[in-house]
């Protein structure tokens, strides 16, 4: 069984090395590799480009009513590879023109999403106002409402929101 597993890993490694995927510089600087088997969260230092971009966006959208405590980046090579391949497909199918944007999502099941990605099998189980689907918002104030409802009933509270590239 061990030999078969090694052969399968070798085949997977050859496929992965041929798909043109390269990791973001921040991931590489922190020692991440294409062969990492699991996901981790990397904290973005206060003052870093990623931290400041998100802080600026939250300040513009929510004003002084929010304090940004921490920004973390999901390092999940499997999800990143899926995104990379789907993005390449969309570019091919649309003449190198795709409509990507960053949208907010709030949930109490963020670890499941960070590990496995969005799962359409669970669409509509929590909030069904517009029907079954994955709800994303262009403005953090909408997701903040759902982030608040995902927390224990005390206010103010720490909340988590995902800023997703879609």
């Amino acid at each position: 069984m061990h030999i078969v597993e090694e052969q399968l890993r070798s085949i997977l490694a050859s496929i992965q090395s041929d798909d043109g995927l390269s990791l973001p510089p921040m991931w590489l600087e922190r020692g991440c590799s294409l062969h990492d088997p699991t996901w981790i969260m990397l904290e973005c230092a206060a003052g870093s480009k990623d931290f400041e971009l998100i802080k600026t966006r939250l300040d513009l959208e929510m004003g002084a009513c929010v304090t940004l405590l921490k920004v973390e980046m999901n390092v999940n090579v499997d999800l990143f590879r899926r995104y990379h391949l789907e993005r390449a497909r969309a570019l091919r199918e649309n003449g190198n023109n795709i409509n990507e944007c960053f949208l907010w999502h709030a949930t109490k099941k963020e670890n499941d999403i960070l590990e496995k990605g969005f799962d359409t099998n669970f669409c509509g189980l929590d909030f069904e106002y517009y029907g079954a689907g994955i709800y994303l918002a262009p403005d953090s104030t909408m997701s903040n409402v759902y982030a608040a409802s995902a927390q224990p009933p005390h206010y103010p509270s720490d909340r988590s929101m995902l800023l997703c590239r879609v």
Side-chain angles (χ1 to χ4, degrees), residues 127-166:
F127 304 102
E128 299 183 344
Y129 191 79
Y130 296 106
I134 297 170
Y135 287 73
L136 298 156
D139 190 299
S140 59
T141 54
M142 175 66 82
S143 290
N144 185 48
V145 171
Y146 292 101
S149 67
Q151 297 297 323
H154 64 279
Y155 188 84
S157 65
D158 293 350
R159 301 174 189 175
S160 296
M161 292 190 293
L162 306 174
L163 183 59
C164 308
R165 185 176 178 181
V166 296

Side-chain angles (χ1 to χ4, degrees), residues 57-72:
R57 184 161 172 181
L58 284 172
D59 288 346
L60 289 171
E61 294 171 3
M62 296 182 67
C65 72
V66 66
T67 302
L68 182 60
L69 300 176
K70 178 168 50 172
V71 172
E72 293 179 303

Side-chain angles (χ1 to χ4, degrees), residues 23-34:
L23 297 180
M26 180 181 170
W27 295 13
L28 295 172
E29 290 166 6
R30 303 271 182 103
C32 301
S33 79
L34 286 172

